[in-house]
Amino acid sequence: MHELESLKNIFKDRIFKIPDYQRGYAWTERQLKDFWEDVVNLPPDRFHYTGLLSLKKVDKSVWNNWNDERWLLEDRGYKPFHVVDGQQRLTTFVIFIQAISELLKTIPENKDEEIYLGSFSLKAIKEEYLVVQRPPQFIISTYKFSYEVDNPSFQFLKYRIFNELNSGTIQETFYTLNLENAKRFFTENLKNYYEKYGIIEIETLFKKITQNLMFNVYEISDDFDVFVAFETMNNRGKKLSNLELLKNRLIYLTTLYDEKELKKDERFCLREKINDSWKEVYYQLGRNKQNPLNDDDFLVAHWIMYFQYTREKGDDYIRFLLEQKFTSQNIYAKTEVIVSTLQEFQEVREEEKENDQEDIEENGNEEKVVLRSKLSPKEIEDYVNSLKAAAVHWYNTHNPVNNPDLTSAESLWIDRLNRIGIIYFRPLVTVSFLSKDVDSKQRIKLFKAIERFIFITFRLSRAFSSYRNSEFYKAARQFRNNELSVDDIINKLQANMDRWLFYTPENSSEIYFNYGHFQKYLEKQFKNGGGYYYWNGLKYFLYEYEMEKVRQRGSQKIDWKLFVKGEKDKISIEHIFPQTPDNQCWKDSFKGYKKSEINIFQGTLGNLLPLSQSINSSLQNDCFLDKKNPRYNERKEKIRQGYSDGSHSEIEVSTYEDWHPDAILERGINLIEFMEKRWNIKFENDHAKTEILFLEFMVSDEGETETENTNE
């Protein structure tokens, strides 16, 4: 242990690199805000303990291969270190200082060759903390703090954070997104701080972060297990994700095999494969900057696809990976393996080759028992290759729209699955792209069956979200191992619905949908005053009806993202007959019905309409004729769009002359018949359809509607 050291001390004659077993930059806006507040509020004459900085000196056999850094190490006596713990804070300091240096260049009175921050020259600041150029040609730029060269964050740090020119293609990942956000955060905050307080306060901030924030620097000795130290130390601060812990563990395990089982070049190759896999995984997880994917979600899903699923506790997957499968005990524990003498022969020295070949020919291909680690290097290789292969398909299942990797039909059906709520089927969908034996047509067939299962089982019949999940998690692994076909899985889906969701009456061969579960659920929603409006499948159902009209007529008018986005005091699904029917026009159209029946007319399916543009909820109470046509204020500004120029569903409703109980029943029956056709279900008769609409009171025994009887 050493005494507390400031950043100025720490960076003196040292070069820092983030080793391959480390995660990338993980701080988000919450940590950045805390850091900024700490720096701003720290009195200039006070020191502040920042935490532990654990370093491991890099061996010469490693840094000898560092081209850009070697001159500082050999000529100027710098010492190279891997950062084991403290990477997040060190990265944040460096980005902060870079943002200050860029701010100084934007101040009009500053000229490039003579920029100063108080008594600190910009050139000295950059050389002390950021980058040193090798004289006399100044071709080599050596970064005081960086990543290993093969890490995508290294290129990003150089070209996007430090602004080195001529970057070429830069691979962006889950972690580079955090680097970019951190730089934007400090750039904006420093600019605002400068405009408010002036350059003197920027100098104060610089002094505070380089001289007042103190680290406890700890150098890990050679005999200390650096990988175990990394796992233990990173339980502090922003906790390591399980995917990050697993990468460190796998790299650590490659160091434990003895030379007989894993030669030096094989060890290096396996370590490279682990790094390549994680590089690809983090690239895919961070591809969509607006919606980066959760790394632990991916790890859980891959575990489901790759290993035998169990349902003990939520964290049993990581306990299996880190405590049962990928452990040092499984390398030290030996198991007997039968190998042929031919395999043994391939491992002998070159000069003994001829004699051994004669023995082989004479004795034949004999078998012998040797001891090998319980966890073989090949198992690690297969696992990381599988992670790498699955990552792009995992990304595609989350981002199907306008995705060139998918056919238009695949994109359409995966988008539907995301909209309806894919629940536990994403691993199965991902696996469908990993098998060479499954073509696009088979995938579409599978996606259709999954979407139908979700709609009927969960949206209509109200099964718990975990219903049969372990069966289909296991099916994902069996599918990956070619133990199940697409048809096998579709049959499983249907069998799980046949048990309780379909029935065949006596003396009939027809199969009908058992809507009793949906009916009970809706009864509760009507009692709560919402009816179908409270159904969590409503937006998906109405959108699918609308998209069916788009396929028939063209011109899409409803954007799903805007349709499902909640806006205060605005609605995207309208009660045509409003919930507050105060206008006389509504009282006339629904004369003669009880209050309980009025409530059903308001909340039944046929009365609910998806709007192409959300409107203020107060406009819902307009009369039907006013809703059909655009409405303007005194300044002749349109304050609501009419049904006649809205969505296809609105245009369809606008063809009704008036809106009354018969119109609601007719449209409701049309929507139920669309449901039958779209999801391949069948209601037994017209009575069943009116019953599920809760409008059976409108139909007399002779089949006439109540309004027809009243009019007589």
Side-chain angles (χ1 to χ4, degrees), residues 15 69 130-132 141-146 158 162 164:
I15 288 175
E69 294 82 6
L130 304 174
V131 60
V132 188
S141 294
T142 305
Y143 291 91
K144 299 289 292 291
F145 173 89
S146 64
K158 272 173 66 173
F162 295 143
E164 189 173 314

Side-chain angles (χ1 to χ4, degrees), residues 413-422 429 450-451 454:
W413 281 97
I414 296 174
D415 184 41
R416 278 177 170 152
L417 288 170
N418 284 328
R419 283 191 279 106
I420 196 173
I422 197 168
V429 172
I450 292 172
E451 188 264 358
I454 293 170

Side-chain angles (χ1 to χ4, degrees), residues 83 164 205 352 356 388 418 535 635:
V83 181
E164 189 173 314
L205 287 183
E352 295 174 357
D356 279 333
K388 182 179 180 180
N418 284 328
W535 173 36
R635 295 192 298 277

Side-chain angles (χ1 to χ4, degrees), residues 67 100 112 114 121 132 168 201 226 248 250 261 306 316 333 340 387 390 402 453 465 488 522 534 658:
N67 184 62
I100 287 177
D112 274 354
E114 47 189 48
S121 80
V132 188
E201 287 306 312
V226 70
N248 170 68
L250 293 175
E261 196 163 358
Y306 199 81
D316 55 350
S340 68
L387 270 175
N402 300 322
F453 180 82
S465 59
D488 291 334
L522 288 169
Y534 287 174
D658 202 359

Side-chain angles (χ1 to χ4, degrees), residues 520-532 534-535:
K520 280 180 189 171
Y521 164 80
L522 288 169
E523 269 174 22
K524 202 181 288 181
Q525 307 316 312
F526 274 110
K527 279 177 188 171
N528 293 334
Y532 274 89
Y534 287 174
W535 173 36

Side-chain angles (χ1 to χ4, degrees), residues 286-548:
R287 260 174 87 180
N288 183 341
K289 288 189 179 186
Q290 280 67 49
N291 184 30
L293 304 176
N294 182 282
D295 46 357
D296 284 337
D297 286 349
F298 171 66
L299 186 58
V300 174
H302 183 267
W303 169 71
I304 286 165
M305 301 175 222
Y306 199 81
F307 293 109
Q308 187 62 50
Y309 173 73
T310 59
R311 53 182 307 174
E312 294 165 24
K313 288 182 185 173
D315 63 349
D316 55 350
Y317 80 97
I318 196 60
R319 283 190 293 106
F320 170 80
L321 292 173
L322 292 179
E323 295 173 24
Q324 295 177 45
K325 183 69 180 173
F326 299 113
T327 66
S328 53
Q329 292 92 326
N330 283 344
I331 290 177
Y332 295 134
K334 302 298 180 183
T335 183
E336 292 183 347
V337 177
I338 299 172
V339 296
S340 68
T341 47
L342 189 59
Q343 283 175 283
E344 289 289 297
F345 160 69
Q346 289 164 355
E347 296 175 6
V348 300
R349 290 172 301 165
E350 192 68 29
E351 60 266 26
E352 295 174 357
K353 189 174 179 181
E354 285 180 19
N355 293 337
D356 279 333
Q357 182 61 49
E358 287 167 13
D359 290 342
I360 292 287
E361 287 167 358
E362 186 178 313
N363 299 326
N365 185 14
E366 296 178 0
E367 293 180 340
K368 62 182 279 190
V369 175
V370 296
L371 292 176
R372 290 280 191 260
S373 292
K374 192 175 172 186
L375 174 67
S376 71
K378 180 67 178 161
E379 281 182 87
I380 295 177
E381 183 199 9
D382 289 346
Y383 176 72
V384 300
N385 285 344
S386 176
L387 270 175
K388 182 179 180 180
V392 65
H393 303 301
W394 183 252
Y395 168 84
N396 290 342
T397 70
H398 285 86
N399 300 277
V401 180
N402 300 322
N403 188 323
D405 290 350
L406 304 172
T407 66
S408 57
E410 286 169 346
S411 174
L412 171 71
W413 281 97
I414 296 174
D415 184 41
R416 278 177 170 152
L417 288 170
N418 284 328
R419 283 191 279 106
I420 196 173
I422 197 168
I423 50 174
Y424 53 72
F425 286 103
R426 201 177 295 280
L428 194 53
V429 172
T430 304
V431 165
S432 72
F433 289 94
L434 290 169
S435 173
K436 292 175 184 174
D437 299 328
V438 179
D439 60 21
S440 185
K441 282 184 182 175
Q442 287 177 295
R443 275 194 287 274
I444 301 306
K445 190 176 169 186
L446 176 65
F447 301 161
K448 283 182 180 178
I450 292 172
E451 188 264 358
R452 178 173 178 261
F453 180 82
I454 293 170
F455 184 78
I456 295 171
T457 308
F458 299 103
R459 300 296 167 258
L460 292 182
S461 302
R462 319 310 304 163
F464 288 120
S465 59
S466 58
Y467 171 71
R468 312 307 295 177
N469 66 342
S470 58
E471 181 176 351
F472 289 103
Y473 281 153
K474 285 173 184 171
R477 179 175 175 270
Q478 292 169 313
F479 190 27
R480 189 187 75 85
N481 293 338
N482 295 319
E483 294 164 15
L484 285 180
S485 67
V486 166
D487 287 339
D488 291 334
I489 294 167
I490 291 171
N491 290 338
K492 274 178 178 287
L493 291 164
Q494 188 60 51
N496 277 297
M497 290 190 289
D498 286 343
R499 266 177 220 156
W500 60 294
L501 298 180
F502 293 94
Y503 68 94
T504 303
E506 286 183 32
N507 305 320
S508 172
S509 58
E510 291 288 348
I511 300 170
Y512 297 111
F513 174 54
N514 176 7
Y515 58 89
H517 304 280
F518 190 38
Q519 190 178 22
K520 280 180 189 171
Y521 164 80
L522 288 169
E523 269 174 22
K524 202 181 288 181
Q525 307 316 312
F526 274 110
K527 279 177 188 171
N528 293 334
Y532 274 89
Y533 193 72
Y534 287 174
W535 173 36
N536 71 343
L538 180 68
K539 285 189 174 177
Y540 182 77
F541 173 77
L542 291 178
Y543 188 80
E544 281 301 300
Y545 181 76
E546 174 70 17
M547 293 309 288
E548 180 65 22

Side-chain angles (χ1 to χ4, degrees), residues 608-665:
L608 301 171
L609 184 63
L611 304 176
S612 58
Q613 290 182 359
S614 58
I615 62 161
N616 291 322
S617 50
S618 58
L619 296 171
Q620 275 202 108
N621 302 328
D622 291 354
C623 289
F624 183 68
L625 291 177
D626 294 326
K627 291 185 179 193
K628 281 171 64 166
N629 303 304
R631 181 172 159 183
Y632 300 88
N633 61 18
E634 295 119 358
R635 295 192 298 277
K636 296 194 175 175
E637 297 167 332
K638 191 187 283 189
I639 57 172
R640 89 159 279 160
Q641 183 171 274
Y643 291 162
S644 54
D645 54 2
S647 66
H648 291 293
S649 302
E650 289 174 87
I651 293 167
E652 196 171 70
V653 166
S654 74
T655 61
Y656 286 85
E657 280 188 37
D658 202 359
W659 198 251
H660 42 61
D662 288 348
I664 290 174
L665 176 59

